[in-house]
């Protein structure tokens, strides 16, 4: 009998062959004599008997269930294995690591915006981290009816309420609907607080919620590009310098309609500058002439005749200046 006393023994373990799992319930409820428990890094093992927690084991390693585990169980300390008397219990493996989740809005969210009766449709994308925060709550709310719980389950629950949270936090403090990325950090922090509060009801914590980008309709993007271009053209000198530098860097190569537009804008700007320079030169000449007239003598130094602002004396013809 000694050779076959442990023939029904098994190994209670979780290999984590599937990524993104928050907890896994060991399927075989019969633990035989000689069985071992293996706890890997980033795992906790919880023994359940009749739905009640008997013991929680957090240190990684390999343990003999009969000698290393049963003595520490609450109501099974005196359990004795015998032939055909396996321990009928459940083992719940908890993933203690934080898991990264990528999220994105399923449909466009229509945000109220001035001049847009139907609202402005936007999408948003980002990431967050989640982990199991409270073992007892997870057991009470989830493990009783679930064999496995994954980040996809967390994501599905969060996406269901994310649209309303985005609308609520974007609408606060009169944010600029056309430049939401500037407020992405504060919006994300508000959403993270609300999501964490909601998910802790089932024992899961949410951390580091981020909004990587807001996506606008193509029409809005074109309007933004046009406004940026007009703002740059508003400073003619700066625009001319930039266009000239760009043309030189391309070796004056043809650019089609876009190149013709640049050349036209440069020509207009240069023309305006030339007209401005000519006006300045004329004004300078006029000022010099007036300054010269004011400096001439009032009487001819040769004959004493009054000059009345003339360059030559009307009496003797003497040059006055």
């Amino acid at each position: 009998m000694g050779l076959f006393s442990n023939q029904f023994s098994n190994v209670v373990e979780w290999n984590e062959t599937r990524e993104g799992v928050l907890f896994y319930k060991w399927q075989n409820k019969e633990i035989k004599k000689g069985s071992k428990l293996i706890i890997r890094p980033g795992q906790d093992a919880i023994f359940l008997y009749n739905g009640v927690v008997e013991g929680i084991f957090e240190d990684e390693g390999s343990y003999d269930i009969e000698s290393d585990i049963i003595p520490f169980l609450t109501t099974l300390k005196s359990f004795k294995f015998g032939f055909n008397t396996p321990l009928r219990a459940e083992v719940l493996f908890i993933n203690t690591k934080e898991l990264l989740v990528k999220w994105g809005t399923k449909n466009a969210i229509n945000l109220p915006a001035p001049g847009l009766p139907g609202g402005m449709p936007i999408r948003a994308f980002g990431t967050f981290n989640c982990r199991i925060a409270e073992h007892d709550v997870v057991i009470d709310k989830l493990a009783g009816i679930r064999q496995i719980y994954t980040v996809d389950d967390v994501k599905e629950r969060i996406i269901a309420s994310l649209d309303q949270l985005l609308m609520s936090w974007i609408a606060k403090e009169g944010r600029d609907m056309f430049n939401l990325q500037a407020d992405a950090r504060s919006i994300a922090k508000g959403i993270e607080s609300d999501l964490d509060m909601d998910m802790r009801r089932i024992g899961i914590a949410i951390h580091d919620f981020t909004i990587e980008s807001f996506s606008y309709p193509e029409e809005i993007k074109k309007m933004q590009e046009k406004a940026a271009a007009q703002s740059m053209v508003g400073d003619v000198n700066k625009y001319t310098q930039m266009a000239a530098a760009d043309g030189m860097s391309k070796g004056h190569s043809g650019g089609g309609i876009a190149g013709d537009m640049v050349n036209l804008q440069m020509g207009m700007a240069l023309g305006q500058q030339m007209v401005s320079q000519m006006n300045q030169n004329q004004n300078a000449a006029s000022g010099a002439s007036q300054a010269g007239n004011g400096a001439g003598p009032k009487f001819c130094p040769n004959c004493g005749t009054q000059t009345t602002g003339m360059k030559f004396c009307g009496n003797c013809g003497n040059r006055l200046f």
Side-chain angles (χ1 to χ4, degrees):
M1 291 294 294
L3 293 175
F4 303 99
S5 59
N6 293 337
Q7 62 179 325
F8 298 118
S9 65
N10 46 28
V11 178
V12 181
E13 64 179 336
W14 177 28
N15 289 318
E16 291 193 56
T17 55
R18 177 178 173 182
E19 294 184 358
V21 178
L22 288 167
F23 72 73
Y24 161 78
K25 189 185 295 182
W26 188 65
Q27 294 179 336
N28 189 348
K29 295 183 179 180
E30 292 188 350
I31 301 175
K32 312 295 193 308
K33 183 179 177 64
S35 296
K36 291 187 177 295
L37 169 69
I38 297 178
I39 303 177
R40 291 181 167 80
Q43 295 179 355
D44 289 348
I46 303 176
F47 274 74
L48 303 170
Y49 187 71
N50 292 331
V52 179
V53 176
E54 289 290 323
I56 300 177
F57 302 90
E58 300 176 345
D59 296 331
E60 62 187 78
S62 178
Y63 303 91
D64 181 271
I65 291 180
E66 183 176 9
S67 61
D68 299 330
I69 300 299
I70 289 181
F72 296 95
L73 300 182
T74 304
T75 60
L76 299 174
K77 291 180 180 181
S78 59
F79 181 84
K80 300 296 181 182
F81 284 102
F83 193 76
N84 294 330
T85 58
L87 172 63
R88 297 181 182 276
E90 296 177 324
V91 181
L92 182 69
F93 286 94
I94 300 290
N95 188 344
T96 61
K97 301 181 288 293
E98 281 198 347
L99 302 179
L100 179 67
V101 184
K102 294 182 179 180
W103 65 268
T105 51
K106 285 186 176 180
N107 302 304
I109 304 171
N110 289 319
L111 299 175
L116 297 175
M120 180 172 61
I122 68 162
R123 295 176 182 270
F125 307 89
T127 61
F128 64 86
N129 290 326
C130 67
R131 64 178 179 83
I132 290 181
E134 300 177 60
H135 293 7
D136 54 341
V137 178
V138 166
I139 293 169
D140 182 48
K141 300 293 185 180
L142 298 175
I145 57 175
R146 300 291 297 265
Q147 174 76 29
I148 192 172
Y149 201 77
T150 70
V151 294
D152 288 335
D153 297 312
V154 174
K155 183 177 177 179
E156 182 178 356
R157 183 179 178 119
I158 283 180
I159 292 297
S161 60
L162 194 55
D163 288 5
Q164 288 300 119
L165 288 175
L166 276 168
M167 292 184 68
S168 174
W169 282 97
I170 289 174
K172 290 186 177 181
E173 301 176 6
R175 304 183 194 276
D176 181 2
M177 297 297 153
F178 297 95
N179 191 24
L180 292 175
Q181 199 62 42
D183 295 321
R185 184 177 179 83
S186 60
I187 294 172
K189 284 299 180 183
I191 293 175
E192 177 186 316
S193 177
D194 288 346
L195 287 177
D196 185 62
M197 183 181 301
D198 177 63
M199 294 300 292
R200 282 184 181 271
R201 296 174 184 173
I202 58 174
I204 297 174
I206 303 298
H207 298 285
D208 302 325
F209 186 92
T210 64
I211 300 175
E212 293 181 1
S213 66
F214 288 98
S215 178
Y216 294 89
E218 285 300 319
E219 293 78 4
I220 300 298
K221 292 180 181 179
K222 291 178 180 178
M223 290 173 59
Q224 291 174 330
E225 292 172 358
K226 184 176 181 180
Q230 289 176 344
S231 176
M232 183 176 66
V233 174
D235 187 345
V236 176
N237 292 331
K238 180 179 179 181
Y239 180 79
T240 303
Q241 293 169 2
M242 292 178 65
D246 184 61
M248 292 175 65
S249 66
K250 294 180 180 178
H252 303 288
S253 59
I257 296 176
D260 293 341
M261 290 297 294
V262 170
N263 292 333
L264 178 60
Q265 292 284 356
M266 289 176 61
M268 293 174 60
L270 290 172
Q272 291 178 357
Q273 289 183 344
M274 291 175 64
V275 171
S276 177
Q277 186 65 39
M278 291 175 62
N279 289 336
Q280 291 178 3
N281 292 339
Q282 289 178 356
N283 291 336
S286 175
S289 175
Q290 292 175 1
N293 290 338
K298 295 181 179 180
F299 299 93
C300 177
N302 185 43
C303 65
T305 304
Q306 189 173 357
T307 62
T308 64
M310 295 184 298
K311 294 183 179 181
F312 297 90
C313 178
N315 182 41
C316 66
N318 182 49
R319 183 183 181 88
L320 299 176
F321 56 86

